[in-house]
Amino acid sequence: MSNATTIRPEEAAHFGKLAAEWWDPKGSSAMLHRLNPVRLKFIRDAVDAHFEADSRSVRPLAGRRALDVGCGAGLLCEPLARLGASVTGVDAAAENIAAAREHAAGGGLAIEYVCGDVGALGLSGYDLITSMEVIEHVADKPAFLRALIGAMADDGLMILSTPNRTPQSKWLMIEAAERLGMVPRGTHHWEDFITPPELALMLEDLGMQVGQPMGIAWNPLKGLHLSNDMALNYILTAKKRV
């Protein structure tokens, strides 16, 4: 257990204010609803490969524990539960945790939701750890990664996604998306974005083996999709080095 040093109170407050609309696909979290299926495809493929699961199974995570950090109102926790996992969701905003619990109960899903800093909760032994669009919001990126790794089982799998720090992401994700109201103003701070090599180096310094990242790109014809283009956003896997 480490000191609770990764939460930025102003970030938790920002996302907490959005809690009531988190499950509205046309509300302030509309972009996350579009992003979720893309992330889930990557997660499913990574899970099948890492755990040697049957790609035809509808519950490839049956018997496994999953932890989603920065879970918001549970947009990823619920699909992970439907894939068979015993899921814990952690978020810094109490409003998000309340919304997550209410939505899961309405869907008959038994998901454990905890409000707090992942590094201060003493969590351990999770087979799958996910943290989507979170590391760019934390106060101390290496400390945050250490906390995630501390919660992993030795043979576990970690999956992270985050915006890349490029001119394209600055223009499209902040100058365009936030100004046009597609993403709430103040959601992104470009200087806090982390590049794939920077994130890989941080993980490797902490004893992790990093998989090949995939881009999450956008174009008018395909919308958001997995791609080799990592200029906007990317997703990657990591596991403990043997």
Side-chain angles (χ1 to χ4, degrees):
M1 187 181 298
S2 64
N3 292 326
T5 57
T6 66
I7 290 175
R8 285 177 171 162
E10 67 276 13
E11 296 279 354
H14 171 80
F15 289 104
K17 290 176 183 176
L18 307 176
E21 294 187 10
W22 210 288
W23 282 98
D24 180 0
K26 295 182 179 178
S28 58
S29 296
M31 193 60 67
L32 290 179
H33 285 266
R34 296 174 192 164
L35 189 55
N36 220 29
V38 183
R39 300 189 301 202
L40 280 166
K41 179 181 182 345
F42 181 92
I43 290 169
R44 176 63 201 255
D45 290 345
V47 162
D48 287 349
H50 183 79
F51 296 113
E52 299 180 350
D54 184 347
S55 61
R56 298 167 296 180
S57 171
V58 296
R59 290 172 60 84
L61 289 170
R64 299 194 183 277
R65 301 171 69 217
L67 173 66
D68 185 37
V69 179
C71 65
L75 240 58
L76 183 59
C77 289
E78 294 200 7
L80 292 179
R82 292 190 175 96
L83 290 173
S86 173
V87 180
T88 301
V90 173
D91 199 86
E95 301 95 328
N96 289 341
I97 292 299
R101 287 173 177 158
E102 181 180 1
H103 197 272
L109 295 171
I111 298 171
E112 179 185 16
Y113 284 111
V114 183
C115 182
D117 188 297
V118 64
L121 295 173
L123 302 172
S124 64
Y126 285 90
D127 303 293
L128 174 66
I129 293 189
T130 56
S131 190
M132 307 284 110
E133 320 301 312
V134 175
I135 193 168
E136 68 270 23
H137 299 292
V138 303
D140 185 329
K141 291 178 173 62
F144 179 72
L145 293 174
R146 278 194 296 272
L148 297 186
I149 294 166
M152 285 180 74
D154 287 342
D155 60 349
L157 175 68
M158 181 188 297
I159 302 177
L160 305 174
S161 71
T162 189
N164 197 354
R165 193 178 67 255
T166 63
Q168 296 96 317
S169 70
K170 186 173 187 178
W171 182 84
L172 191 61
M173 298 182 72
I174 299 176
E175 299 299 330
E178 291 196 13
R179 289 183 186 278
L180 293 173
M182 297 170 66
V183 176
R185 291 298 296 268
T187 294
H188 295 118
H189 305 283
W190 184 79
E191 63 275 11
D192 289 327
F193 290 179
I194 182 170
T195 68
E198 288 168 348
L199 181 53
L201 184 59
M202 280 187 196
L203 287 163
E204 288 164 1
D205 284 347
L206 294 169
M208 301 294 283
Q209 179 181 332
V210 181
Q212 178 62 41
M214 284 286 293
I216 299 177
W218 181 87
N219 68 42
L221 295 178
K222 289 185 176 181
L224 291 165
H225 60 285
L226 292 173
S227 167
N228 290 324
D229 180 0
M230 293 184 280
L232 288 182
N233 199 297
Y234 61 97
I235 188 167
L236 56 73
T237 63
K239 60 184 180 180
K240 292 183 180 180
R241 193 179 299 129
V242 178

